[in-house]
Amino acid sequence: MDKFDLEDPLTSLDGHQSDTISALFSSESDHMPSYNYFQCLKTSDFYVSFRQEAISLILQAQYSSNLDPYTQYLAVNYMDRFISWQEIPQGNPWIVRVLVIACISLAAKMKEIHFSFSDFQTNNIKVRQRDEGFMFDPPAIQRMELLVLDALNWRMRSITPFSFITFFVSLFQLKDPPLTQALKDRATNIIFQARNEINLLEFKPSIIGASALLLACHELFPLQFPSFETSVLSCEYVNEEKVMECFNEMQEMVNNEMRESIVDMVSSSSSMRTPVSVLDCHCSKSENEGTNSTMAATVTPENREIKRRKLKGFCNQSSTMKISQFQSCE
């Protein structure tokens, strides 16, 4: 199998799903969490806490396993899509950990990166200094991987916001390669920031990619921003209303993080002042909106019940057979 490229996921697909722009946009909804998931996160504190815990564990892999941000992002994508198809049983705190390990493992396999189950678990428990930490053996992790693969219908070559950056940048017709790269880098960083934001889960990857790029444009090229905006809004695949809505959420996210960083700097040293650049922007244009209803329809009660029973069976077996208590955190 060819190495998976998160920024260009269609290049290795069969000829009937060739690397075309239309194929990219038409396939993106298959790689999103269901719309039900977004609604659930708005009403359930348990699922919000579960997701926050999972993302925190995934991000720790950067330090314990030297995983790059793209692999972590892919693991978060798998995790969100899995939870959107599952009813996660409460009262089993170890589920989030084995799910995270499985998602990281699958992401690392797709990116052809080495990932050690045992190193990640040992380092994670030491960092968190928790006596209740579990160690999962390879068979338990592999069984969870199969549950994730089943829930995702084996669609592992995820289409993410990164997949659309090159396409949207090409619309700007920039002549300076270093500036083009700087624009891509800034948009990429914004997308990484956005992975934690629940309010952004309802938007398609293309909308998130376009919004991040426009936000980066306004920061780096404020005078040229109107022409950049027009270029994106004139694209037939882009929905103006959705991009505007996503952009506003994203701008608020960036501003909030900026304010928090300022507070941290002031708290750490009242005698030092660091100038901060203020990010600001505006955006927009059109694409069919039928995906949310389509996605919601795909998560049928029957399908959810089948997958719920599979996860429940995994929990019942793993809690007695496949999980050993980690005895020492020292």
Side-chain angles (χ1 to χ4, degrees), residues 14 17 44 46 57 68-69 74 79 91 102 113 150 195 198 212-213 215 264 284 292 301-302 325:
D14 295 334
Q17 288 186 336
S44 171
F46 169 73
L57 290 170
D68 64 274
L74 190 59
M79 179 272 297
I113 295 172
D150 179 64
R195 67 190 158 198
I198 292 174
L213 195 57
L215 195 55
D264 290 341
S284 327
N292 279 348
E302 293 78 8
Q325 186 74 25

Side-chain angles (χ1 to χ4, degrees), residues 159-214:
I159 296 176
T160 70
F162 304 111
S163 310
F164 299 90
I165 294 298
T166 298
F167 167 71
F168 285 122
V169 167
S170 69
L171 302 179
F172 301 159
Q173 299 182 340
L174 294 172
K175 305 299 183 182
D176 191 326
L179 291 181
T180 301
Q181 189 59 50
L183 185 62
K184 289 183 177 180
D185 291 344
R186 177 54 186 153
T188 295
N189 288 334
I190 293 173
I191 293 170
F192 284 139
Q193 288 178 259
R195 67 190 158 198
N196 299 340
E197 298 296 316
I198 292 174
N199 289 339
L200 295 175
L201 285 172
E202 66 172 315
F203 299 106
K204 292 182 178 181
S206 60
I207 298 297
I208 293 175
S211 300
L213 195 57
L214 285 171

Side-chain angles (χ1 to χ4, degrees), residues 6 68 201 225 244 255 262 314:
L6 188 63
D68 64 274
L201 285 172
F225 174 75
M244 285 296 296
N255 290 339
I262 292 175
F314 172 84

